[in-house]
Amino acid sequence: MADISKITNVAIENVAKVCGVAVANIAKVINNIYVSFANTHSYLFDGTDDYINATSAISAFDKDEGTFHLRVKLAVAGAPSKFMLAIADGNNANFIRIFYHGSQTKLFFQCKTAGTNKNATSSAGALGADGNWHTICCTWSRSAGEFKAYFDATQVSTTKTIGSSTWSPTVFNIGANQNTSSNAPWRGGIDEPAMWSSALTAAEITALETPIDLLSDSGNYSSSSNLTMWYRADGDTGTNCDDHTSENNDATRVNGTSLSTDAPSI
């Protein structure tokens, strides 16, 4: 407000009068300005055996409350199934998984704790090989007993009573299932896989529809301090996936997972 008044050298009330809008609406516009960044690369998976080993980020995973968010572009629709993300313990008794079910052409979001599998499933055909980037997100809160799933910022399901668990994950893959012997690898692009130690609000998830700097609070996004993993692909060298958070949990691209200049536009 003060900056607008300074630039125009008039009171904010007069700015509002000249523009023909209420002061509150000017504030609303200003409050929805987001901090962007140069998004130039993404990760490309061949659908054969490519994946990212993110086991180093397990230490930053909060089993009681958190969020996973990533951008995906599916190269080929239909069978087989293709996994975007999986974090699990050694015997698969507990996990969070996100995958495209090939034969059903549906998105599956799964949260399994204490031997109970809770599925949040999107509508049929929501994700296809349409040449577009889409956002995928899930949040969990054990205190609220909820596991929520989002596709392109639209909530597609809420699963209740996910329960409590003392599970300790040992495997964290991006672009593959937790079982590397039958890992149902992703085929297409994945960009900006990120993790928070808090459940993002619906307004924050909507704000992430456009790539923004997750390290800075801006607009409706206010969870930068809870960001615990963010692989951007930009600036990666060798097989390294640089974690842009202070956690510094770099991941490893496996079996030739490559970088692509096809990235969601800002």
Side-chain angles (χ1 to χ4, degrees):
M1 295 286 194
D3 289 338
I4 291 181
S5 297
K6 186 182 293 184
I7 293 172
T8 59
N9 199 32
V10 294
I12 190 64
E13 288 79 6
N14 290 333
V15 173
K17 185 176 181 180
V18 170
C19 294
V21 295
V23 174
N25 288 335
I26 293 179
K28 184 176 180 180
V29 171
I30 296 170
N31 194 44
N32 283 320
I33 294 175
Y34 295 93
V35 179
S36 63
F37 66 95
N39 189 35
T40 59
H41 290 82
S42 64
Y43 299 107
L44 182 63
F45 300 79
D46 64 5
T48 301
D49 58 2
D50 288 357
Y51 70 99
I52 293 173
N53 184 335
T55 303
S56 59
I58 286 177
S59 60
F61 172 73
D62 190 325
K63 65 180 182 298
D64 295 320
E65 183 175 348
T67 300
F68 285 127
H69 186 281
L70 61 163
R71 307 179 193 282
V72 303
K73 178 186 281 190
L74 180 64
V76 179
S81 295
K82 305 165 185 68
F83 272 76
M84 305 168 205
L85 179 150
I87 185 167
D89 59 13
N91 57 9
N92 294 330
N94 304 276
F95 55 67
I96 292 176
R97 309 190 304 187
I98 307 173
F99 64 98
Y100 169 81
H101 196 296
S103 60
Q104 296 187 30
T105 61
K106 291 182 180 180
L107 285 169
F108 274 74
F109 302 77
Q110 294 182 328
C111 179
K112 182 179 181 182
T113 60
T116 301
N117 198 5
K118 300 290 186 179
N119 288 317
T121 309
S122 78
S123 58
L127 178 63
D130 58 7
N132 297 318
W133 286 95
H134 297 277
T135 55
I136 306 294
C137 181
C138 68
T139 69
W140 61 94
S141 171
R142 304 204 181 279
S143 61
E146 292 183 336
F147 178 67
K148 297 180 179 181
Y150 297 82
F151 174 68
D152 285 341
T154 298
Q155 186 175 331
V156 295
S157 180
T158 299
T159 303
K160 300 288 188 178
T161 62
I162 61 172
S164 60
S165 175
T166 58
W167 69 293
S168 299
T170 58
V171 177
F172 187 5
N173 293 330
I174 297 169
N177 193 359
Q178 69 268 29
N179 303 313
T180 54
S181 60
S182 57
N183 61 0
W186 181 252
R187 184 174 179 182
I190 293 180
D191 192 33
E192 291 191 86
M195 177 172 69
W196 288 259
S197 60
S198 62
L200 297 188
T201 66
E204 288 182 299
I205 293 168
T206 298
L208 299 187
E209 277 299 278
T210 299
I212 62 173
D213 184 358
L214 301 180
L215 298 174
S216 302
D217 287 347
S218 58
N220 289 327
Y221 173 67
S222 59
S223 296
S224 63
S225 61
N226 297 322
L227 183 67
T228 56
M229 183 194 82
W230 187 25
Y231 302 136
R232 272 181 41 191
D234 302 307
D236 286 357
T237 58
T239 60
N240 187 67
C241 295
D242 185 21
D243 181 12
H244 287 256
T245 77
S246 59
E247 299 286 340
N248 295 317
N249 291 314
D250 292 358
T252 302
R253 286 183 280 122
V254 181
N255 296 330
T257 304
S258 60
L259 299 177
S260 170
T261 55
D262 178 13
S265 60
I266 297 176

